[in-house]
Amino acid sequence: MSEVVTVAGVSVEPGTRRDIAPSASESFTGDRTTLPLAVINGIEDGPRVFITGAVHGDELNGIPICRQVLDRLDPSTLRGSVIVVPIVNVLGVQIGSRYLPDRRDLNRSFPGSHTGSMAARIARLLLEEVIIGSDVGIDLHTAANHRTNVPQIRIATDDDVSLGLATTFGAPFVLDAKLRPGSLRETAGARGVPVLTYEAGGPLRFDDDAIDTGVRGVFRVLRSLDAIDDAPAPAHDQPMILHESRWLRAERGGILELHVGPGDHVQPGQPLWTTSSALGAERASIEAEEEAYVIGSTTLPLVQPGQALLHLALPGDRLPSEDDPTEEEDEDDPDEPHVP
Ligand SMILES: [Zn+2]
């Protein structure tokens, strides 16, 4: 028999689900803003897993993933407990923004504090009520503005537990990604809670492939942890482990024609993109310097010099690059200067 799980002062008995809405913030008129979450406490002992969506308020694919997981999880057969928070950044989602109304990035605001900024308070609430006490977390993101990501899990691949779960998840790619200060993943990891960051699709839309791969992945992780008996087949049988990545940037402004897309395996000398003027004159034609996988791309057809166009990664090797390879990581603030 499992134990009672208590979240935000609410006790959840074994074999039951409780939906809870602790206060996260308050409007200027005094209206309460909540952090809606569901606690599914299984009938038997097992791991505690948390699943978070929309930490960035314009990254929506995690919301339907969480809802589908909630639809199918049955507390009468679950071993352990699952805490699902479909929308962490409620205020950002309301205004379609990555950021909170105080212009802070919630995923740079952990561990947070009860007396700090709006972002710090929400981060602290999530840390204390959801993250601490969990065994594993899955944090659901998408690419930032005007970009899209192939479904991929980002972890520190030198952590065997994370690597095993990331491979089980079944996204096409697993990317070794440095921990960013103040991120949910970094803060949880420092407290012994490994977190898989799932990056899939683009902002402000629901992407069916990203959602399906994510739902399968969540259930496959739960099965791997022995919380449930059965899980769907993986979206991809053998995820490619990628150890280094970088964004390729436009050298010339113009109208963009991409010759490759997300998920493509490119070979040295393969055309990547052409930019041309409004009257059709070709300005730049770029080829791949080496074999790589396209794990993300711009969605904009018009480009300026310096704009990031393709996110390329190599399996098991390092790409020569002057850029910080994670500078453009979509867990990050795309406008933020390099943070060492
Ligand atoms: Zn994000």
mmCIF file with all atom_site columns, all heavy atoms in Angstrom, residues 49-53 65-66 83 136-141 153 169 184 194-198 214 217-219 221-222 225:
data_model
loop_
_atom_site.group_PDB
_atom_site.id
_atom_site.type_symbol
_atom_site.label_atom_id
_atom_site.label_alt_id
_atom_site.label_comp_id
_atom_site.label_asym_id
_atom_site.label_entity_id
_atom_site.label_seq_id
_atom_site.pdbx_PDB_ins_code
_atom_site.Cartn_x
_atom_site.Cartn_y
_atom_site.Cartn_z
_atom_site.occupancy
_atom_site.B_iso_or_equiv
_atom_site.pdbx_formal_charge
_atom_site.auth_seq_id
_atom_site.auth_comp_id
_atom_site.auth_asym_id
_atom_site.auth_atom_id
_atom_site.pdbx_PDB_model_num
ATOM 1   N N   . VAL A 1 49  ? 7.057  10.923 -9.756  1.00 0.00 ? 49  VAL A N   1
ATOM 2   C CA  . VAL A 1 49  ? 7.475  11.560 -11.008 1.00 0.00 ? 49  VAL A CA  1
ATOM 3   C C   . VAL A 1 49  ? 6.678  12.844 -11.187 1.00 0.00 ? 49  VAL A C   1
ATOM 4   O O   . VAL A 1 49  ? 5.469  12.863 -10.935 1.00 0.00 ? 49  VAL A O   1
ATOM 5   C CB  . VAL A 1 49  ? 7.216  10.623 -12.206 1.00 0.00 ? 49  VAL A CB  1
ATOM 6   C CG1 . VAL A 1 49  ? 7.632  11.281 -13.521 1.00 0.00 ? 49  VAL A CG1 1
ATOM 7   C CG2 . VAL A 1 49  ? 7.960  9.298  -12.017 1.00 0.00 ? 49  VAL A CG2 1
ATOM 8   N N   . PHE A 1 50  ? 7.353  13.923 -11.613 1.00 0.00 ? 50  PHE A N   1
ATOM 9   C CA  . PHE A 1 50  ? 6.590  15.130 -11.956 1.00 0.00 ? 50  PHE A CA  1
ATOM 10  C C   . PHE A 1 50  ? 6.719  15.426 -13.443 1.00 0.00 ? 50  PHE A C   1
ATOM 11  O O   . PHE A 1 50  ? 7.727  15.096 -14.076 1.00 0.00 ? 50  PHE A O   1
ATOM 12  C CB  . PHE A 1 50  ? 6.997  16.337 -11.103 1.00 0.00 ? 50  PHE A CB  1
ATOM 13  C CG  . PHE A 1 50  ? 8.323  16.965 -11.468 1.00 0.00 ? 50  PHE A CG  1
ATOM 14  C CD1 . PHE A 1 50  ? 8.424  17.867 -12.514 1.00 0.00 ? 50  PHE A CD1 1
ATOM 15  C CD2 . PHE A 1 50  ? 9.467  16.669 -10.738 1.00 0.00 ? 50  PHE A CD2 1
ATOM 16  C CE1 . PHE A 1 50  ? 9.639  18.454 -12.846 1.00 0.00 ? 50  PHE A CE1 1
ATOM 17  C CE2 . PHE A 1 50  ? 10.680 17.248 -11.054 1.00 0.00 ? 50  PHE A CE2 1
ATOM 18  C CZ  . PHE A 1 50  ? 10.770 18.144 -12.112 1.00 0.00 ? 50  PHE A CZ  1
ATOM 19  N N   . ILE A 1 51  ? 5.668  16.014 -13.993 1.00 0.00 ? 51  ILE A N   1
ATOM 20  C CA  . ILE A 1 51  ? 5.638  16.403 -15.401 1.00 0.00 ? 51  ILE A CA  1
ATOM 21  C C   . ILE A 1 51  ? 5.170  17.852 -15.465 1.00 0.00 ? 51  ILE A C   1
ATOM 22  O O   . ILE A 1 51  ? 4.109  18.183 -14.929 1.00 0.00 ? 51  ILE A O   1
ATOM 23  C CB  . ILE A 1 51  ? 4.676  15.500 -16.210 1.00 0.00 ? 51  ILE A CB  1
ATOM 24  C CG1 . ILE A 1 51  ? 5.047  14.022 -16.015 1.00 0.00 ? 51  ILE A CG1 1
ATOM 25  C CG2 . ILE A 1 51  ? 4.711  15.863 -17.688 1.00 0.00 ? 51  ILE A CG2 1
ATOM 26  C CD1 . ILE A 1 51  ? 3.938  13.060 -16.370 1.00 0.00 ? 51  ILE A CD1 1
ATOM 27  N N   . THR A 1 52  ? 5.973  18.713 -16.103 1.00 0.00 ? 52  THR A N   1
ATOM 28  C CA  . THR A 1 52  ? 5.643  20.135 -16.179 1.00 0.00 ? 52  THR A CA  1
ATOM 29  C C   . THR A 1 52  ? 5.540  20.570 -17.635 1.00 0.00 ? 52  THR A C   1
ATOM 30  O O   . THR A 1 52  ? 6.335  20.152 -18.477 1.00 0.00 ? 52  THR A O   1
ATOM 31  C CB  . THR A 1 52  ? 6.696  20.984 -15.459 1.00 0.00 ? 52  THR A CB  1
ATOM 32  O OG1 . THR A 1 52  ? 8.011  20.519 -15.819 1.00 0.00 ? 52  THR A OG1 1
ATOM 33  C CG2 . THR A 1 52  ? 6.543  20.897 -13.956 1.00 0.00 ? 52  THR A CG2 1
ATOM 34  N N   . GLY A 1 53  ? 4.580  21.453 -17.913 1.00 0.00 ? 53  GLY A N   1
ATOM 35  C CA  . GLY A 1 53  ? 4.431  22.040 -19.237 1.00 0.00 ? 53  GLY A CA  1
ATOM 36  C C   . GLY A 1 53  ? 4.385  23.549 -19.148 1.00 0.00 ? 53  GLY A C   1
ATOM 37  O O   . GLY A 1 53  ? 4.082  24.117 -18.089 1.00 0.00 ? 53  GLY A O   1
ATOM 38  N N   . ILE A 1 65  ? 0.077  17.222 -23.995 1.00 0.00 ? 65  ILE A N   1
ATOM 39  C CA  . ILE A 1 65  ? 0.769  16.010 -23.524 1.00 0.00 ? 65  ILE A CA  1
ATOM 40  C C   . ILE A 1 65  ? 0.320  15.701 -22.093 1.00 0.00 ? 65  ILE A C   1
ATOM 41  O O   . ILE A 1 65  ? -0.054 14.568 -21.764 1.00 0.00 ? 65  ILE A O   1
ATOM 42  C CB  . ILE A 1 65  ? 2.304  16.189 -23.596 1.00 0.00 ? 65  ILE A CB  1
ATOM 43  C CG1 . ILE A 1 65  ? 2.770  16.289 -25.054 1.00 0.00 ? 65  ILE A CG1 1
ATOM 44  C CG2 . ILE A 1 65  ? 3.014  15.023 -22.880 1.00 0.00 ? 65  ILE A CG2 1
ATOM 45  C CD1 . ILE A 1 65  ? 4.238  16.632 -25.224 1.00 0.00 ? 65  ILE A CD1 1
ATOM 46  N N   . CYS A 1 66  ? 0.335  16.715 -21.244 1.00 0.00 ? 66  CYS A N   1
ATOM 47  C CA  . CYS A 1 66  ? -0.091 16.508 -19.853 1.00 0.00 ? 66  CYS A CA  1
ATOM 48  C C   . CYS A 1 66  ? -1.541 16.040 -19.788 1.00 0.00 ? 66  CYS A C   1
ATOM 49  O O   . CYS A 1 66  ? -1.886 15.138 -19.014 1.00 0.00 ? 66  CYS A O   1
ATOM 50  C CB  . CYS A 1 66  ? 0.058  17.805 -19.063 1.00 0.00 ? 66  CYS A CB  1
ATOM 51  S SG  . CYS A 1 66  ? 1.765  18.233 -18.655 1.00 0.00 ? 66  CYS A SG  1
ATOM 52  N N   . ILE A 1 83  ? 2.809  13.767 -10.371 1.00 0.00 ? 83  ILE A N   1
ATOM 53  C CA  . ILE A 1 83  ? 2.274  15.127 -10.240 1.00 0.00 ? 83  ILE A CA  1
ATOM 54  C C   . ILE A 1 83  ? 2.375  15.784 -11.607 1.00 0.00 ? 83  ILE A C   1
ATOM 55  O O   . ILE A 1 83  ? 3.464  15.856 -12.195 1.00 0.00 ? 83  ILE A O   1
ATOM 56  C CB  . ILE A 1 83  ? 3.050  15.945 -9.193  1.00 0.00 ? 83  ILE A CB  1
ATOM 57  C CG1 . ILE A 1 83  ? 3.045  15.224 -7.853  1.00 0.00 ? 83  ILE A CG1 1
ATOM 58  C CG2 . ILE A 1 83  ? 2.451  17.342 -9.061  1.00 0.00 ? 83  ILE A CG2 1
ATOM 59  C CD1 . ILE A 1 83  ? 3.840  15.939 -6.773  1.00 0.00 ? 83  ILE A CD1 1
ATOM 60  N N   . VAL A 1 136 ? 12.091 11.681 -10.344 1.00 0.00 ? 136 VAL A N   1
ATOM 61  C CA  . VAL A 1 136 ? 12.404 12.022 -11.738 1.00 0.00 ? 136 VAL A CA  1
ATOM 62  C C   . VAL A 1 136 ? 11.420 13.095 -12.189 1.00 0.00 ? 136 VAL A C   1
ATOM 63  O O   . VAL A 1 136 ? 10.258 13.112 -11.743 1.00 0.00 ? 136 VAL A O   1
ATOM 64  C CB  . VAL A 1 136 ? 12.258 10.778 -12.647 1.00 0.00 ? 136 VAL A CB  1
ATOM 65  C CG1 . VAL A 1 136 ? 12.381 11.152 -14.125 1.00 0.00 ? 136 VAL A CG1 1
ATOM 66  C CG2 . VAL A 1 136 ? 13.291 9.713  -12.300 1.00 0.00 ? 136 VAL A CG2 1
ATOM 67  N N   . GLY A 1 137 ? 11.874 13.984 -13.081 1.00 0.00 ? 137 GLY A N   1
ATOM 68  C CA  . GLY A 1 137 ? 10.971 14.967 -13.669 1.00 0.00 ? 137 GLY A CA  1
ATOM 69  C C   . GLY A 1 137 ? 11.083 14.971 -15.186 1.00 0.00 ? 137 GLY A C   1
ATOM 70  O O   . GLY A 1 137 ? 12.120 14.600 -15.749 1.00 0.00 ? 137 GLY A O   1
ATOM 71  N N   . ILE A 1 138 ? 9.985  15.366 -15.830 1.00 0.00 ? 138 ILE A N   1
ATOM 72  C CA  . ILE A 1 138 ? 9.985  15.554 -17.285 1.00 0.00 ? 138 ILE A CA  1
ATOM 73  C C   . ILE A 1 138 ? 9.430  16.954 -17.531 1.00 0.00 ? 138 ILE A C   1
ATOM 74  O O   . ILE A 1 138 ? 8.288  17.262 -17.150 1.00 0.00 ? 138 ILE A O   1
ATOM 75  C CB  . ILE A 1 138 ? 9.105  14.508 -17.998 1.00 0.00 ? 138 ILE A CB  1
ATOM 76  C CG1 . ILE A 1 138 ? 9.587  13.085 -17.657 1.00 0.00 ? 138 ILE A CG1 1
ATOM 77  C CG2 . ILE A 1 138 ? 9.143  14.728 -19.513 1.00 0.00 ? 138 ILE A CG2 1
ATOM 78  C CD1 . ILE A 1 138 ? 8.670  11.986 -18.182 1.00 0.00 ? 138 ILE A CD1 1
ATOM 79  N N   . ASP A 1 139 ? 10.252 17.811 -18.143 1.00 0.00 ? 139 ASP A N   1
ATOM 80  C CA  . ASP A 1 139 ? 9.894  19.214 -18.353 1.00 0.00 ? 139 ASP A CA  1
ATOM 81  C C   . ASP A 1 139 ? 9.695  19.435 -19.853 1.00 0.00 ? 139 ASP A C   1
ATOM 82  O O   . ASP A 1 139 ? 10.623 19.221 -20.640 1.00 0.00 ? 139 ASP A O   1
ATOM 83  C CB  . ASP A 1 139 ? 11.009 20.105 -17.797 1.00 0.00 ? 139 ASP A CB  1
ATOM 84  C CG  . ASP A 1 139 ? 10.624 21.570 -17.781 1.00 0.00 ? 139 ASP A CG  1
ATOM 85  O OD1 . ASP A 1 139 ? 9.419  21.868 -17.698 1.00 0.00 ? 139 ASP A OD1 1
ATOM 86  O OD2 . ASP A 1 139 ? 11.545 22.420 -17.828 1.00 0.00 ? 139 ASP A OD2 1
ATOM 87  N N   . LEU A 1 140 ? 8.486  19.866 -20.240 1.00 0.00 ? 140 LEU A N   1
ATOM 88  C CA  . LEU A 1 140 ? 8.080  19.858 -21.652 1.00 0.00 ? 140 LEU A CA  1
ATOM 89  C C   . LEU A 1 140 ? 8.185  21.256 -22.263 1.00 0.00 ? 140 LEU A C   1
ATOM 90  O O   . LEU A 1 140 ? 7.503  22.191 -21.819 1.00 0.00 ? 140 LEU A O   1
ATOM 91  C CB  . LEU A 1 140 ? 6.645  19.337 -21.754 1.00 0.00 ? 140 LEU A CB  1
ATOM 92  C CG  . LEU A 1 140 ? 6.409  17.962 -21.095 1.00 0.00 ? 140 LEU A CG  1
ATOM 93  C CD1 . LEU A 1 140 ? 4.914  17.675 -20.954 1.00 0.00 ? 140 LEU A CD1 1
ATOM 94  C CD2 . LEU A 1 140 ? 7.089  16.856 -21.897 1.00 0.00 ? 140 LEU A CD2 1
ATOM 95  N N   . HIS A 1 141 ? 9.018  21.379 -23.280 1.00 0.00 ? 141 HIS A N   1
ATOM 96  C CA  . HIS A 1 141 ? 9.246  22.671 -23.949 1.00 0.00 ? 141 HIS A CA  1
ATOM 97  C C   . HIS A 1 141 ? 9.054  22.544 -25.456 1.00 0.00 ? 141 HIS A C   1
ATOM 98  O O   . HIS A 1 141 ? 8.917  21.447 -26.007 1.00 0.00 ? 141 HIS A O   1
ATOM 99  C CB  . HIS A 1 141 ? 10.684 23.147 -23.691 1.00 0.00 ? 141 HIS A CB  1
ATOM 100 C CG  . HIS A 1 141 ? 10.925 23.604 -22.299 1.00 0.00 ? 141 HIS A CG  1
ATOM 101 N ND1 . HIS A 1 141 ? 11.095 24.922 -21.949 1.00 0.00 ? 141 HIS A ND1 1
ATOM 102 C CD2 . HIS A 1 141 ? 11.045 22.899 -21.143 1.00 0.00 ? 141 HIS A CD2 1
ATOM 103 C CE1 . HIS A 1 141 ? 11.305 25.023 -20.643 1.00 0.00 ? 141 HIS A CE1 1
ATOM 104 N NE2 . HIS A 1 141 ? 11.271 23.790 -20.129 1.00 0.00 ? 141 HIS A NE2 1
ATOM 105 N N   . ILE A 1 153 ? 15.256 14.966 -26.552 1.00 0.00 ? 153 ILE A N   1
ATOM 106 C CA  . ILE A 1 153 ? 15.437 15.057 -25.099 1.00 0.00 ? 153 ILE A CA  1
ATOM 107 C C   . ILE A 1 153 ? 16.797 15.672 -24.831 1.00 0.00 ? 153 ILE A C   1
ATOM 108 O O   . ILE A 1 153 ? 17.801 15.294 -25.442 1.00 0.00 ? 153 ILE A O   1
ATOM 109 C CB  . ILE A 1 153 ? 15.369 13.656 -24.447 1.00 0.00 ? 153 ILE A CB  1
ATOM 110 C CG1 . ILE A 1 153 ? 13.965 13.060 -24.575 1.00 0.00 ? 153 ILE A CG1 1
ATOM 111 C CG2 . ILE A 1 153 ? 15.787 13.723 -22.984 1.00 0.00 ? 153 ILE A CG2 1
ATOM 112 C CD1 . ILE A 1 153 ? 12.929 13.697 -23.674 1.00 0.00 ? 153 ILE A CD1 1
ATOM 113 N N   . PHE A 1 169 ? 12.620 7.068  -23.653 1.00 0.00 ? 169 PHE A N   1
ATOM 114 C CA  . PHE A 1 169 ? 11.563 8.015  -24.052 1.00 0.00 ? 169 PHE A CA  1
ATOM 115 C C   . PHE A 1 169 ? 11.190 7.826  -25.515 1.00 0.00 ? 169 PHE A C   1
ATOM 116 O O   . PHE A 1 169 ? 10.010 7.842  -25.874 1.00 0.00 ? 169 PHE A O   1
ATOM 117 C CB  . PHE A 1 169 ? 12.063 9.442  -23.798 1.00 0.00 ? 169 PHE A CB  1
ATOM 118 C CG  . PHE A 1 169 ? 11.005 10.505 -23.843 1.00 0.00 ? 169 PHE A CG  1
ATOM 119 C CD1 . PHE A 1 169 ? 10.423 10.983 -22.679 1.00 0.00 ? 169 PHE A CD1 1
ATOM 120 C CD2 . PHE A 1 169 ? 10.597 11.059 -25.055 1.00 0.00 ? 169 PHE A CD2 1
ATOM 121 C CE1 . PHE A 1 169 ? 9.455  11.981 -22.714 1.00 0.00 ? 169 PHE A CE1 1
ATOM 122 C CE2 . PHE A 1 169 ? 9.622  12.053 -25.108 1.00 0.00 ? 169 PHE A CE2 1
ATOM 123 C CZ  . PHE A 1 169 ? 9.056  12.512 -23.933 1.00 0.00 ? 169 PHE A CZ  1
ATOM 124 N N   . LEU A 1 184 ? 15.073 25.030 -14.327 1.00 0.00 ? 184 LEU A N   1
ATOM 125 C CA  . LEU A 1 184 ? 14.411 23.970 -13.571 1.00 0.00 ? 184 LEU A CA  1
ATOM 126 C C   . LEU A 1 184 ? 15.306 22.728 -13.541 1.00 0.00 ? 184 LEU A C   1
ATOM 127 O O   . LEU A 1 184 ? 15.488 22.115 -12.481 1.00 0.00 ? 184 LEU A O   1
ATOM 128 C CB  . LEU A 1 184 ? 13.058 23.680 -14.233 1.00 0.00 ? 184 LEU A CB  1
ATOM 129 C CG  . LEU A 1 184 ? 12.113 22.692 -13.563 1.00 0.00 ? 184 LEU A CG  1
ATOM 130 C CD1 . LEU A 1 184 ? 10.677 22.936 -14.035 1.00 0.00 ? 184 LEU A CD1 1
ATOM 131 C CD2 . LEU A 1 184 ? 12.480 21.239 -13.826 1.00 0.00 ? 184 LEU A CD2 1
ATOM 132 N N   . PRO A 1 194 ? 16.844 13.942 -11.288 1.00 0.00 ? 194 PRO A N   1
ATOM 133 C CA  . PRO A 1 194 ? 17.153 14.078 -12.710 1.00 0.00 ? 194 PRO A CA  1
ATOM 134 C C   . PRO A 1 194 ? 15.925 14.517 -13.492 1.00 0.00 ? 194 PRO A C   1
ATOM 135 O O   . PRO A 1 194 ? 14.814 14.053 -13.215 1.00 0.00 ? 194 PRO A O   1
ATOM 136 C CB  . PRO A 1 194 ? 17.599 12.664 -13.121 1.00 0.00 ? 194 PRO A CB  1
ATOM 137 C CG  . PRO A 1 194 ? 17.036 11.754 -12.097 1.00 0.00 ? 194 PRO A CG  1
ATOM 138 C CD  . PRO A 1 194 ? 16.905 12.548 -10.824 1.00 0.00 ? 194 PRO A CD  1
ATOM 139 N N   . VAL A 1 195 ? 16.129 15.418 -14.435 1.00 0.00 ? 195 VAL A N   1
ATOM 140 C CA  . VAL A 1 195 ? 15.027 15.940 -15.249 1.00 0.00 ? 195 VAL A CA  1
ATOM 141 C C   . VAL A 1 195 ? 15.351 15.754 -16.725 1.00 0.00 ? 195 VAL A C   1
ATOM 142 O O   . VAL A 1 195 ? 16.445 16.093 -17.176 1.00 0.00 ? 195 VAL A O   1
ATOM 143 C CB  . VAL A 1 195 ? 14.783 17.437 -14.953 1.00 0.00 ? 195 VAL A CB  1
ATOM 144 C CG1 . VAL A 1 195 ? 13.779 18.037 -15.952 1.00 0.00 ? 195 VAL A CG1 1
ATOM 145 C CG2 . VAL A 1 195 ? 14.277 17.623 -13.533 1.00 0.00 ? 195 VAL A CG2 1
ATOM 146 N N   . LEU A 1 196 ? 14.388 15.192 -17.461 1.00 0.00 ? 196 LEU A N   1
ATOM 147 C CA  . LEU A 1 196 ? 14.480 15.140 -18.908 1.00 0.00 ? 196 LEU A CA  1
ATOM 148 C C   . LEU A 1 196 ? 13.801 16.391 -19.453 1.00 0.00 ? 196 LEU A C   1
ATOM 149 O O   . LEU A 1 196 ? 12.631 16.632 -19.148 1.00 0.00 ? 196 LEU A O   1
ATOM 150 C CB  . LEU A 1 196 ? 13.762 13.915 -19.470 1.00 0.00 ? 196 LEU A CB  1
ATOM 151 C CG  . LEU A 1 196 ? 14.062 12.537 -18.871 1.00 0.00 ? 196 LEU A CG  1
ATOM 152 C CD1 . LEU A 1 196 ? 13.288 11.466 -19.636 1.00 0.00 ? 196 LEU A CD1 1
ATOM 153 C CD2 . LEU A 1 196 ? 15.553 12.243 -18.895 1.00 0.00 ? 196 LEU A CD2 1
ATOM 154 N N   . THR A 1 197 ? 14.523 17.190 -20.217 1.00 0.00 ? 197 THR A N   1
ATOM 155 C CA  . THR A 1 197 ? 13.894 18.323 -20.886 1.00 0.00 ? 197 THR A CA  1
ATOM 156 C C   . THR A 1 197 ? 13.511 17.882 -22.289 1.00 0.00 ? 197 THR A C   1
ATOM 157 O O   . THR A 1 197 ? 14.369 17.509 -23.088 1.00 0.00 ? 197 THR A O   1
ATOM 158 C CB  . THR A 1 197 ? 14.860 19.522 -20.960 1.00 0.00 ? 197 THR A CB  1
ATOM 159 O OG1 . THR A 1 197 ? 15.245 19.892 -19.637 1.00 0.00 ? 197 THR A OG1 1
ATOM 160 C CG2 . THR A 1 197 ? 14.181 20.714 -21.636 1.00 0.00 ? 197 THR A CG2 1
ATOM 161 N N   . TYR A 1 198 ? 12.203 17.892 -22.563 1.00 0.00 ? 198 TYR A N   1
ATOM 162 C CA  . TYR A 1 198 ? 11.705 17.502 -23.886 1.00 0.00 ? 198 TYR A CA  1
ATOM 163 C C   . TYR A 1 198 ? 11.473 18.766 -24.697 1.00 0.00 ? 198 TYR A C   1
ATOM 164 O O   . TYR A 1 198 ? 10.745 19.661 -24.264 1.00 0.00 ? 198 TYR A O   1
ATOM 165 C CB  . TYR A 1 198 ? 10.402 16.723 -23.728 1.00 0.00 ? 198 TYR A CB  1
ATOM 166 C CG  . TYR A 1 198 ? 9.753  16.278 -25.020 1.00 0.00 ? 198 TYR A CG  1
ATOM 167 C CD1 . TYR A 1 198 ? 10.421 15.443 -25.902 1.00 0.00 ? 198 TYR A CD1 1
ATOM 168 C CD2 . TYR A 1 198 ? 8.455  16.676 -25.351 1.00 0.00 ? 198 TYR A CD2 1
ATOM 169 C CE1 . TYR A 1 198 ? 9.813  15.013 -27.086 1.00 0.00 ? 198 TYR A CE1 1
ATOM 170 C CE2 . TYR A 1 198 ? 7.845  16.251 -26.520 1.00 0.00 ? 198 TYR A CE2 1
ATOM 171 C CZ  . TYR A 1 198 ? 8.532  15.417 -27.388 1.00 0.00 ? 198 TYR A CZ  1
ATOM 172 O OH  . TYR A 1 198 ? 7.928  15.000 -28.550 1.00 0.00 ? 198 TYR A OH  1
ATOM 173 N N   . GLY A 1 214 ? 5.723  12.861 -27.376 1.00 0.00 ? 214 GLY A N   1
ATOM 174 C CA  . GLY A 1 214 ? 5.828  13.203 -25.959 1.00 0.00 ? 214 GLY A CA  1
ATOM 175 C C   . GLY A 1 214 ? 4.976  12.307 -25.073 1.00 0.00 ? 214 GLY A C   1
ATOM 176 O O   . GLY A 1 214 ? 5.421  11.844 -24.017 1.00 0.00 ? 214 GLY A O   1
ATOM 177 N N   . GLY A 1 217 ? 6.513  9.008  -24.872 1.00 0.00 ? 217 GLY A N   1
ATOM 178 C CA  . GLY A 1 217 ? 7.720  9.084  -24.070 1.00 0.00 ? 217 GLY A CA  1
ATOM 179 C C   . GLY A 1 217 ? 7.444  9.094  -22.574 1.00 0.00 ? 217 GLY A C   1
ATOM 180 O O   . GLY A 1 217 ? 8.105  8.398  -21.800 1.00 0.00 ? 217 GLY A O   1
ATOM 181 N N   . VAL A 1 218 ? 6.438  9.874  -22.173 1.00 0.00 ? 218 VAL A N   1
ATOM 182 C CA  . VAL A 1 218 ? 6.103  9.934  -20.744 1.00 0.00 ? 218 VAL A CA  1
ATOM 183 C C   . VAL A 1 218 ? 5.715  8.547  -20.238 1.00 0.00 ? 218 VAL A C   1
ATOM 184 O O   . VAL A 1 218 ? 6.198  8.081  -19.187 1.00 0.00 ? 218 VAL A O   1
ATOM 185 C CB  . VAL A 1 218 ? 4.969  10.949 -20.493 1.00 0.00 ? 218 VAL A CB  1
ATOM 186 C CG1 . VAL A 1 218 ? 4.425  10.809 -19.072 1.00 0.00 ? 218 VAL A CG1 1
ATOM 187 C CG2 . VAL A 1 218 ? 5.459  12.372 -20.741 1.00 0.00 ? 218 VAL A CG2 1
ATOM 188 N N   . PHE A 1 219 ? 4.838  7.872  -20.980 1.00 0.00 ? 219 PHE A N   1
ATOM 189 C CA  . PHE A 1 219 ? 4.409  6.540  -20.524 1.00 0.00 ? 219 PHE A CA  1
ATOM 190 C C   . PHE A 1 219 ? 5.571  5.543  -20.548 1.00 0.00 ? 219 PHE A C   1
ATOM 191 O O   . PHE A 1 219 ? 5.654  4.662  -19.691 1.00 0.00 ? 219 PHE A O   1
ATOM 192 C CB  . PHE A 1 219 ? 3.232  6.037  -21.365 1.00 0.00 ? 219 PHE A CB  1
ATOM 193 C CG  . PHE A 1 219 ? 1.931  6.648  -20.953 1.00 0.00 ? 219 PHE A CG  1
ATOM 194 C CD1 . PHE A 1 219 ? 1.285  7.550  -21.771 1.00 0.00 ? 219 PHE A CD1 1
ATOM 195 C CD2 . PHE A 1 219 ? 1.373  6.342  -19.720 1.00 0.00 ? 219 PHE A CD2 1
ATOM 196 C CE1 . PHE A 1 219 ? 0.087  8.132  -21.376 1.00 0.00 ? 219 PHE A CE1 1
ATOM 197 C CE2 . PHE A 1 219 ? 0.184  6.918  -19.312 1.00 0.00 ? 219 PHE A CE2 1
ATOM 198 C CZ  . PHE A 1 219 ? -0.461 7.821  -20.142 1.00 0.00 ? 219 PHE A CZ  1
ATOM 199 N N   . VAL A 1 221 ? 8.717  6.254  -19.974 1.00 0.00 ? 221 VAL A N   1
ATOM 200 C CA  . VAL A 1 221 ? 9.532  6.519  -18.782 1.00 0.00 ? 221 VAL A CA  1
ATOM 201 C C   . VAL A 1 221 ? 8.860  5.928  -17.542 1.00 0.00 ? 221 VAL A C   1
ATOM 202 O O   . VAL A 1 221 ? 9.504  5.296  -16.695 1.00 0.00 ? 221 VAL A O   1
ATOM 203 C CB  . VAL A 1 221 ? 9.768  8.035  -18.626 1.00 0.00 ? 221 VAL A CB  1
ATOM 204 C CG1 . VAL A 1 221 ? 10.337 8.369  -17.246 1.00 0.00 ? 221 VAL A CG1 1
ATOM 205 C CG2 . VAL A 1 221 ? 10.707 8.533  -19.728 1.00 0.00 ? 221 VAL A CG2 1
ATOM 206 N N   . LEU A 1 222 ? 7.540  6.109  -17.435 1.00 0.00 ? 222 LEU A N   1
ATOM 207 C CA  . LEU A 1 222 ? 6.823  5.545  -16.279 1.00 0.00 ? 222 LEU A CA  1
ATOM 208 C C   . LEU A 1 222 ? 6.934  4.026  -16.248 1.00 0.00 ? 222 LEU A C   1
ATOM 209 O O   . LEU A 1 222 ? 7.106  3.424  -15.177 1.00 0.00 ? 222 LEU A O   1
ATOM 210 C CB  . LEU A 1 222 ? 5.353  5.976  -16.314 1.00 0.00 ? 222 LEU A CB  1
ATOM 211 C CG  . LEU A 1 222 ? 5.094  7.467  -16.076 1.00 0.00 ? 222 LEU A CG  1
ATOM 212 C CD1 . LEU A 1 222 ? 3.610  7.789  -16.268 1.00 0.00 ? 222 LEU A CD1 1
ATOM 213 C CD2 . LEU A 1 222 ? 5.543  7.889  -14.671 1.00 0.00 ? 222 LEU A CD2 1
ATOM 214 N N   . LEU A 1 225 ? 10.320 2.977  -15.043 1.00 0.00 ? 225 LEU A N   1
ATOM 215 C CA  . LEU A 1 225 ? 10.464 3.148  -13.590 1.00 0.00 ? 225 LEU A CA  1
ATOM 216 C C   . LEU A 1 225 ? 9.575  2.167  -12.817 1.00 0.00 ? 225 LEU A C   1
ATOM 217 O O   . LEU A 1 225 ? 9.488  2.242  -11.591 1.00 0.00 ? 225 LEU A O   1
ATOM 218 C CB  . LEU A 1 225 ? 10.106 4.590  -13.199 1.00 0.00 ? 225 LEU A CB  1
ATOM 219 C CG  . LEU A 1 225 ? 11.028 5.672  -13.756 1.00 0.00 ? 225 LEU A CG  1
ATOM 220 C CD1 . LEU A 1 225 ? 10.408 7.061  -13.577 1.00 0.00 ? 225 LEU A CD1 1
ATOM 221 C CD2 . LEU A 1 225 ? 12.403 5.616  -13.076 1.00 0.00 ? 225 LEU A CD2 1
#
